[in-house]
Amino acid sequence: MANTMQVNDLGEIKAALERHMESLHKRAMAVVNEYYEFRDEMNKQMDWPKKSSLKPRVRQRGLSIAAEWYDKRWYGSKAKGTRRAFTTYIAKPRTANGYTLSKLLEYAQDWEKDKVAETEKALTAIRYEAGCVMKALSYLNSAIEKGQAEK
């Protein structure tokens, strides 16, 4: 009977952590949306060469969260119909929760560098927390499986 109660308790904890991962995804989306609002408003005031081409993206696969940056540039003539987008993925170091800021800021316009740094700082914190929660979920799943196997 004790094992059943423990497995049930672990199931409740697992559900709470899964809900927390969903809230982290929502927080990451809010951070990225705030950046886009700022960027889009500023881009309206800029000449073509000064417009920002940085694009953060947040994805959720299952419970995991990915927050990545891309650089999207346009080439060719709009009038001639030869205009094409070229998107470059900006790599984050595998062992880090955040981007190397100096590398990320190479893609940013001068007017947006502070906002990019602020956005990446918030995303780094979310990535770290999500990584901790995913580890906890992994351990919980193992404990639940072991508890069910002992029944």
Side-chain angles (χ1 to χ4, degrees):
M1 183 70 173
N3 265 355
T4 304
M5 286 177 47
Q6 290 171 347
V7 170
N8 289 340
D9 290 345
L10 292 177
E12 290 176 24
I13 294 167
K14 179 182 173 187
L17 287 174
E18 289 172 350
R19 285 191 304 274
H20 187 64
M21 285 300 289
E22 290 172 12
S23 73
L24 287 174
H25 178 256
K26 288 178 185 172
R27 270 182 33 208
M29 289 298 296
V31 167
V32 166
N33 288 338
E34 182 183 322
Y35 168 78
Y36 276 126
E37 287 173 15
F38 168 80
R39 189 199 72 174
D40 292 348
E41 191 59 39
M42 293 299 291
N43 269 350
K44 290 177 188 174
Q45 304 167 26
M46 300 294 160
D47 292 332
W48 186 255
K50 292 286 184 190
K51 289 183 185 257
S52 172
S53 57
L54 269 176
K55 297 179 69 70
R57 178 175 79 173
V58 175
R59 293 182 301 156
Q60 188 173 22
R61 284 192 207 148
L63 291 175
S64 68
I65 297 171
E68 307 158 317
W69 289 88
Y70 293 84
D71 184 54
K72 185 175 184 179
R73 307 248 175 192
W74 293 91
Y75 297 97
S77 168
K78 190 175 185 178
K80 294 179 183 176
T82 60
R83 186 178 197 105
R84 300 284 179 262
F86 184 76
T87 303
T88 304
Y89 171 74
I90 304 168
K92 177 182 73 58
R94 284 193 181 277
T95 58
N97 289 307
Y99 279 78
T100 305
L101 205 50
S102 59
K103 181 176 180 182
L104 182 59
L105 293 179
E106 287 175 9
Y107 294 90
Q109 295 288 351
D110 287 339
W111 57 264
E112 71 177 330
K113 286 184 177 183
D114 289 343
K115 189 65 171 179
V116 168
E118 173 189 315
T119 301
E120 179 51 24
K121 182 179 178 184
L123 291 175
T124 298
I126 291 168
R127 282 188 209 101
Y128 176 77
E129 190 172 339
C132 292
V133 173
M134 289 304 292
K135 285 177 189 170
L137 281 167
S138 175
Y139 288 126
L140 268 174
N141 284 333
S142 294
I144 291 168
E145 287 173 19
K146 184 167 175 43
Q148 289 172 343
E150 291 178 357
K151 280 185 186 178

